[in-house]
Amino acid sequence: MQYYLVPPTDYRYITALLSLPRATPSGRHCHSATPWWMRSSLLLTLSRMTAGSATWPPRTAAALHSYLLGGWALEKAMDYRRGGVSGTFTGVTTFAPLEHRERAALLLYKEEGQAVLGAERSTFQASKSLLWDFGGEQVEVFFDEAKDRSPEAVVRGARFFHHIDVAAAAESPFQFEHPCLADMYRGTLCLDAPDSFRMLWRVNGPNKDGTIDATYTRIKAAI
């Protein structure tokens, strides 16, 4: 794949373009869509603008915000012994600023890619959206399900997922939990290196028993 770098600019311009609907290579897209070939360039530019700006290792909400900002290649493996569908996911994740009038430390998490699921190896296009809030001592993560994509509507419609107590983690990986009906998801965020991290979910309960292991690698601009 060939990438075209867009000229250096500010976060608001880049994230506004990334928030527009995705335009397809065939040209069939709605009005005011971001061309498909431009999205990779925008991700690379955002990563280049933020590269080297994060404190390592990040042990505050603000430092974790700086570390995550930008684009990441994502490889995910789902392994269920009960209740879920095993498979893999390959795609791209973006942590992009959400410009809200009253809350200044928000990042929109967007993952998009291809999932291969089940014994039949069925292939699907998949995506997921979250809202990360770094405004307090703890990082709070929310499901982002808003159809109205204005910042106010996104924040208003956010549904709590889990929190990350960055201060309590010290030198160990970040630990967090999310109850889902009778099952419990236990998450671990491992900051392996300045340009890579892993997130492991273990789910156990009467309905599900399995793991979701995700590896993120920072997207860097080619020289």
Side-chain angles (χ1 to χ4, degrees):
M1 178 182 293
Q2 186 174 6
Y3 295 103
Y4 299 88
L5 294 180
V6 298
T9 183
D10 60 31
Y11 294 134
R12 293 187 180 186
Y13 177 71
I14 292 178
T15 54
L17 289 175
L18 287 171
S19 68
L20 292 175
R22 177 192 292 269
T24 64
S26 65
R28 297 178 180 177
H29 55 78
C30 63
H31 182 65
S32 298
T34 303
W36 65 272
W37 50 266
M38 185 183 292
R39 293 181 65 87
S40 296
S41 299
L42 292 169
L43 289 172
L44 287 170
T45 301
L46 186 60
S47 294
R48 185 169 64 176
M49 291 169 66
T50 59
S53 62
T55 301
W56 181 258
R59 289 297 167 185
T60 65
L64 187 59
H65 175 285
S66 297
Y67 171 76
L68 293 174
L69 184 64
W72 301 80
L74 172 58
E75 297 285 341
K76 189 186 302 186
M78 294 80 74
D79 183 13
Y80 285 94
R81 291 165 289 281
R82 182 178 67 253
V85 180
S86 298
T88 61
F89 175 92
T90 302
V92 173
T93 293
T94 309
F95 286 88
L98 179 67
E99 299 293 340
H100 191 273
R101 289 177 296 181
E102 299 177 357
R103 301 168 72 172
L106 301 174
L107 289 181
L108 284 174
Y109 171 103
K110 179 71 172 181
E111 70 177 50
E112 298 176 294
Q114 180 174 281
V116 181
L117 303 176
E120 302 82 4
R121 306 289 292 171
S122 301
T123 302
F124 304 90
Q125 292 300 309
S127 64
K128 182 170 73 173
S129 298
L130 300 171
L131 177 65
W132 288 54
D133 186 353
F134 300 82
E137 293 185 3
Q138 293 185 341
V139 177
E140 294 186 319
V141 183
F142 300 84
F143 294 106
D144 175 14
E145 302 164 329
K147 292 182 172 57
D148 181 348
R149 300 312 298 166
S150 67
E152 291 73 21
V154 170
V155 171
R156 186 169 57 249
R159 181 167 58 89
F160 183 74
F161 184 12
H162 65 86
H163 74 268
I164 302 174
D165 190 348
V166 291
E171 297 302 320
S172 60
F174 301 122
Q175 306 281 343
F176 36 89
E177 295 182 343
H178 169 67
C180 183
L181 300 177
D183 299 323
M184 178 63 74
Y185 285 77
R186 292 180 171 86
T188 303
L189 174 60
C190 302
L191 306 180
D192 296 329
D195 292 323
S196 66
F197 70 92
R198 290 177 297 123
M199 186 173 291
L200 174 65
W201 284 101
R202 300 182 185 275
V203 55
N204 187 263
N207 302 311
K208 290 184 178 181
D209 179 14
T211 60
I212 304 171
D213 194 350
T215 300
Y216 298 78
T217 305
R218 193 183 304 278
I219 298 174
K220 294 184 177 181
I223 300 176

mmCIF file of all heavy atoms in Angstrom, residues 128-131 141-146 154 157-162 178:
data_model
loop_
_atom_site.group_PDB
_atom_site.id
_atom_site.type_symbol
_atom_site.label_atom_id
_atom_site.label_comp_id
_atom_site.label_asym_id
_atom_site.label_seq_id
_atom_site.Cartn_x
_atom_site.Cartn_y
_atom_site.Cartn_z
ATOM 1 N N LYS A 128 -15.338 -0.782 15.882
ATOM 2 C CA LYS A 128 -15.738 -0.531 17.265
ATOM 3 C C LYS A 128 -15.341 0.887 17.631
ATOM 4 O O LYS A 128 -14.278 1.369 17.228
ATOM 5 C CB LYS A 128 -15.072 -1.528 18.222
ATOM 6 C CG LYS A 128 -15.488 -1.340 19.677
ATOM 7 C CD LYS A 128 -14.999 -2.483 20.560
ATOM 8 C CE LYS A 128 -13.531 -2.433 20.821
ATOM 9 N NZ LYS A 128 -13.093 -3.448 21.809
ATOM 10 N N SER A 129 -16.198 1.552 18.407
ATOM 11 C CA SER A 129 -15.929 2.927 18.829
ATOM 12 C C SER A 129 -16.032 3.031 20.346
ATOM 13 O O SER A 129 -16.968 2.496 20.949
ATOM 14 C CB SER A 129 -16.921 3.897 18.181
ATOM 15 O OG SER A 129 -16.794 3.890 16.777
ATOM 16 N N LEU A 130 -15.072 3.726 20.938
ATOM 17 C CA LEU A 130 -15.064 3.990 22.369
ATOM 18 C C LEU A 130 -14.726 5.458 22.597
ATOM 19 O O LEU A 130 -14.185 6.129 21.715
ATOM 20 C CB LEU A 130 -14.026 3.116 23.088
ATOM 21 C CG LEU A 130 -14.180 1.598 22.990
ATOM 22 C CD1 LEU A 130 -12.941 0.907 23.561
ATOM 23 C CD2 LEU A 130 -15.429 1.120 23.706
ATOM 24 N N LEU A 131 -15.022 5.928 23.779
ATOM 25 C CA LEU A 131 -14.639 7.277 24.200
ATOM 26 C C LEU A 131 -13.789 7.156 25.457
ATOM 27 O O LEU A 131 -14.226 6.576 26.449
ATOM 28 C CB LEU A 131 -15.879 8.125 24.480
ATOM 29 C CG LEU A 131 -15.624 9.544 24.999
ATOM 30 C CD1 LEU A 131 -14.922 10.385 23.942
ATOM 31 C CD2 LEU A 131 -16.924 10.207 25.440
ATOM 32 N N VAL A 141 -13.333 4.880 30.452
ATOM 33 C CA VAL A 141 -13.579 4.428 29.088
ATOM 34 C C VAL A 141 -15.075 4.153 28.935
ATOM 35 O O VAL A 141 -15.686 3.524 29.808
ATOM 36 C CB VAL A 141 -12.761 3.166 28.761
ATOM 37 C CG1 VAL A 141 -12.962 2.750 27.306
ATOM 38 C CG2 VAL A 141 -11.276 3.402 29.048
ATOM 39 N N PHE A 142 -15.639 4.620 27.817
ATOM 40 C CA PHE A 142 -17.070 4.505 27.571
ATOM 41 C C PHE A 142 -17.318 3.876 26.201
ATOM 42 O O PHE A 142 -16.518 4.042 25.272
ATOM 43 C CB PHE A 142 -17.738 5.887 27.594
ATOM 44 C CG PHE A 142 -17.591 6.635 28.884
ATOM 45 C CD1 PHE A 142 -16.447 7.382 29.142
ATOM 46 C CD2 PHE A 142 -18.588 6.593 29.846
ATOM 47 C CE1 PHE A 142 -16.298 8.083 30.335
ATOM 48 C CE2 PHE A 142 -18.457 7.291 31.040
ATOM 49 C CZ PHE A 142 -17.309 8.031 31.283
ATOM 50 N N PHE A 143 -18.433 3.174 26.075
ATOM 51 C CA PHE A 143 -18.906 2.763 24.762
ATOM 52 C C PHE A 143 -19.423 3.998 24.031
ATOM 53 O O PHE A 143 -20.171 4.800 24.592
ATOM 54 C CB PHE A 143 -20.034 1.732 24.884
ATOM 55 C CG PHE A 143 -19.601 0.417 25.476
ATOM 56 C CD1 PHE A 143 -19.954 0.082 26.774
ATOM 57 C CD2 PHE A 143 -18.854 -0.482 24.735
ATOM 58 C CE1 PHE A 143 -19.571 -1.130 27.327
ATOM 59 C CE2 PHE A 143 -18.458 -1.698 25.275
ATOM 60 C CZ PHE A 143 -18.820 -2.019 26.578
ATOM 61 N N ASP A 144 -19.023 4.145 22.784
ATOM 62 C CA ASP A 144 -19.468 5.270 21.956
ATOM 63 C C ASP A 144 -20.470 4.739 20.938
ATOM 64 O O ASP A 144 -20.094 4.106 19.951
ATOM 65 C CB ASP A 144 -18.265 5.905 21.259
ATOM 66 C CG ASP A 144 -18.663 7.001 20.279
ATOM 67 O OD1 ASP A 144 -19.823 7.454 20.330
ATOM 68 O OD2 ASP A 144 -17.812 7.386 19.455
ATOM 69 N N GLU A 145 -21.742 4.997 21.189
ATOM 70 C CA GLU A 145 -22.808 4.472 20.339
ATOM 71 C C GLU A 145 -23.663 5.575 19.729
ATOM 72 O O GLU A 145 -24.727 5.316 19.168
ATOM 73 C CB GLU A 145 -23.694 3.523 21.163
ATOM 74 C CG GLU A 145 -22.918 2.363 21.770
ATOM 75 C CD GLU A 145 -23.660 1.647 22.891
ATOM 76 O OE1 GLU A 145 -24.447 2.309 23.609
ATOM 77 O OE2 GLU A 145 -23.448 0.441 23.049
ATOM 78 N N ALA A 146 -23.204 6.819 19.823
ATOM 79 C CA ALA A 146 -24.005 7.953 19.364
ATOM 80 C C ALA A 146 -24.084 7.992 17.842
ATOM 81 O O ALA A 146 -23.064 7.864 17.152
ATOM 82 C CB ALA A 146 -23.413 9.255 19.890
ATOM 83 N N VAL A 154 -21.930 12.917 21.454
ATOM 84 C CA VAL A 154 -21.078 11.760 21.756
ATOM 85 C C VAL A 154 -20.901 11.613 23.263
ATOM 86 O O VAL A 154 -21.044 10.515 23.820
ATOM 87 C CB VAL A 154 -19.711 11.900 21.058
ATOM 88 C CG1 VAL A 154 -18.737 10.841 21.567
ATOM 89 C CG2 VAL A 154 -19.873 11.777 19.552
ATOM 90 N N GLY A 157 -24.226 10.606 25.016
ATOM 91 C CA GLY A 157 -24.673 9.234 24.778
ATOM 92 C C GLY A 157 -23.698 8.166 25.218
ATOM 93 O O GLY A 157 -23.982 6.970 25.060
ATOM 94 N N ALA A 158 -22.553 8.554 25.781
ATOM 95 C CA ALA A 158 -21.538 7.572 26.169
ATOM 96 C C ALA A 158 -22.039 6.692 27.317
ATOM 97 O O ALA A 158 -22.658 7.180 28.260
ATOM 98 C CB ALA A 158 -20.251 8.282 26.568
ATOM 99 N N ARG A 159 -21.741 5.400 27.212
ATOM 100 C CA ARG A 159 -22.155 4.423 28.230
ATOM 101 C C ARG A 159 -20.908 3.840 28.885
ATOM 102 O O ARG A 159 -20.017 3.355 28.204
ATOM 103 C CB ARG A 159 -23.002 3.331 27.569
ATOM 104 C CG ARG A 159 -23.528 2.268 28.510
ATOM 105 C CD ARG A 159 -24.610 1.435 27.821
ATOM 106 N NE ARG A 159 -24.142 0.802 26.604
ATOM 107 C CZ ARG A 159 -23.573 -0.411 26.555
ATOM 108 N NH1 ARG A 159 -23.381 -1.107 27.672
ATOM 109 N NH2 ARG A 159 -23.196 -0.925 25.390
ATOM 110 N N PHE A 160 -20.861 3.869 30.215
ATOM 111 C CA PHE A 160 -19.644 3.497 30.937
ATOM 112 C C PHE A 160 -19.224 2.060 30.637
ATOM 113 O O PHE A 160 -20.045 1.138 30.625
ATOM 114 C CB PHE A 160 -19.844 3.667 32.440
ATOM 115 C CG PHE A 160 -18.610 3.369 33.250
ATOM 116 C CD1 PHE A 160 -17.544 4.253 33.267
ATOM 117 C CD2 PHE A 160 -18.510 2.194 33.980
ATOM 118 C CE1 PHE A 160 -16.396 3.979 34.003
ATOM 119 C CE2 PHE A 160 -17.373 1.910 34.719
ATOM 120 C CZ PHE A 160 -16.314 2.810 34.731
ATOM 121 N N PHE A 161 -17.912 1.884 30.407
ATOM 122 C CA PHE A 161 -17.323 0.576 30.133
ATOM 123 C C PHE A 161 -16.446 0.138 31.313
ATOM 124 O O PHE A 161 -16.737 -0.840 31.990
ATOM 125 C CB PHE A 161 -16.523 0.670 28.835
ATOM 126 C CG PHE A 161 -15.919 -0.616 28.348
ATOM 127 C CD1 PHE A 161 -16.269 -1.847 28.880
ATOM 128 C CD2 PHE A 161 -14.977 -0.598 27.318
ATOM 129 C CE1 PHE A 161 -15.703 -3.031 28.418
ATOM 130 C CE2 PHE A 161 -14.403 -1.764 26.846
ATOM 131 C CZ PHE A 161 -14.765 -2.979 27.400
ATOM 132 N N HIS A 162 -15.386 0.888 31.575
ATOM 133 C CA HIS A 162 -14.518 0.571 32.704
ATOM 134 C C HIS A 162 -13.625 1.774 32.988
ATOM 135 O O HIS A 162 -13.566 2.719 32.198
ATOM 136 C CB HIS A 162 -13.656 -0.670 32.421
ATOM 137 C CG HIS A 162 -12.667 -0.488 31.306
ATOM 138 N ND1 HIS A 162 -11.412 0.051 31.503
ATOM 139 C CD2 HIS A 162 -12.745 -0.767 29.974
ATOM 140 C CE1 HIS A 162 -10.759 0.087 30.357
ATOM 141 N NE2 HIS A 162 -11.544 -0.398 29.408
ATOM 142 N N HIS A 178 -14.888 -5.289 33.934
ATOM 143 C CA HIS A 178 -16.174 -4.891 33.362
ATOM 144 C C HIS A 178 -17.164 -6.036 33.532
ATOM 145 O O HIS A 178 -17.007 -7.090 32.915
ATOM 146 C CB HIS A 178 -16.033 -4.560 31.876
ATOM 147 C CG HIS A 178 -17.355 -4.411 31.170
ATOM 148 N ND1 HIS A 178 -18.227 -3.382 31.443
ATOM 149 C CD2 HIS A 178 -17.961 -5.177 30.219
ATOM 150 C CE1 HIS A 178 -19.302 -3.501 30.684
ATOM 151 N NE2 HIS A 178 -19.169 -4.587 29.942
#
